[in-house]
Amino acid sequence: ASTENFVGASESSVNSVVHITTKVVKTSFQRDIFSEFFHGPGAGGQEFKQYGQGAGSGVIVASDGYIVTNNHVIEDASEVEVTLNDNRKYTAKVIGTDPSTDIAVLKIQEGGLQALPLGNSDDLRIGEWVLAVGNPFNLTSTVTAGIVSAKARN
């Protein structure tokens, strides 16, 4: 593969890659056995909230705002925010998830986005060059190259 192929592929994909941030709120309840003994179930207990956050990358797959990401990026999120390569930010809605394949689909309210066409992984051959484009730390898109080393891993 020539360097020019990497440059063209990189330039045509960076605007389709997004940065995703999440906020997670987990609530737990600590029982007070002493209060429950004298006042009944649930008496004297305390509710605790734990706050967390996460981040990852996604890919715009439809110009009307559909984005594919990893399920683990948005799992248990109470809020999901998408930042485009030009730094526009959107609140995203989770459309669907599949934990078994670690895939999630999000939707933002925007049109005219640059979608990245999906290929068929069955057409890949071992030894072919591939690019990985991501935005893991909101550094704008990062690009790296590699070689297909194996197929049909489950």
Side-chain angles (χ1 to χ4, degrees), residues 5-55:
N5 290 346
F6 289 139
V7 172
S10 299
E11 288 175 347
S12 69
S13 63
V14 293
N15 289 320
S16 301
V17 177
V18 301
H19 179 65
I20 298 169
T21 54
T22 61
K23 292 183 181 171
V24 178
V25 179
K26 290 191 177 185
T27 304
S28 60
F29 188 81
Q30 184 175 356
R31 295 174 57 190
D32 181 343
I33 304 296
F34 185 75
S35 292
E36 285 187 11
F37 179 77
F38 289 105
H39 304 288
Q46 283 189 302
E47 186 175 272
F48 294 94
K49 291 188 184 286
Q50 292 180 305
Y51 298 91
Q53 57 189 18

Side-chain angles (χ1 to χ4, degrees), residues 3 28 37 60 144:
T3 307
S28 60
F37 179 77
I60 300 168
T144 188

Side-chain angles (χ1 to χ4, degrees), residues 29-136:
F29 188 81
Q30 184 175 356
R31 295 174 57 190
D32 181 343
I33 304 296
F34 185 75
S35 292
E36 285 187 11
F37 179 77
F38 289 105
H39 304 288
Q46 283 189 302
E47 186 175 272
F48 294 94
K49 291 188 184 286
Q50 292 180 305
Y51 298 91
Q53 57 189 18
S57 299
V59 177
I60 300 168
V61 294
S63 62
D64 58 349
Y66 285 94
I67 296 166
V68 172
T69 188
N70 293 106
N71 182 66
H72 72 263
V73 171
I74 56 90
E75 194 169 35
D76 298 325
S78 53
E79 294 178 37
V80 179
E81 184 178 76
V82 170
T83 305
L84 303 183
N85 196 45
D86 63 8
N87 289 319
R88 288 183 287 167
K89 295 179 186 292
Y90 299 88
T91 298
K93 178 180 178 186
V94 177
I95 300 299
T97 63
D98 184 2
S100 67
T101 58
D102 195 28
I103 294 290
V105 177
L106 310 176
K107 175 80 166 76
I108 61 173
Q109 293 301 314
E110 185 59 86
L113 299 171
Q114 184 177 328
L116 197 63
L118 297 179
N120 184 342
S121 61
D122 290 339
D123 294 339
L124 281 174
R125 296 180 308 174
I126 293 173
E128 280 191 300
W129 282 95
V130 291
L131 286 182
V133 182
N135 194 329

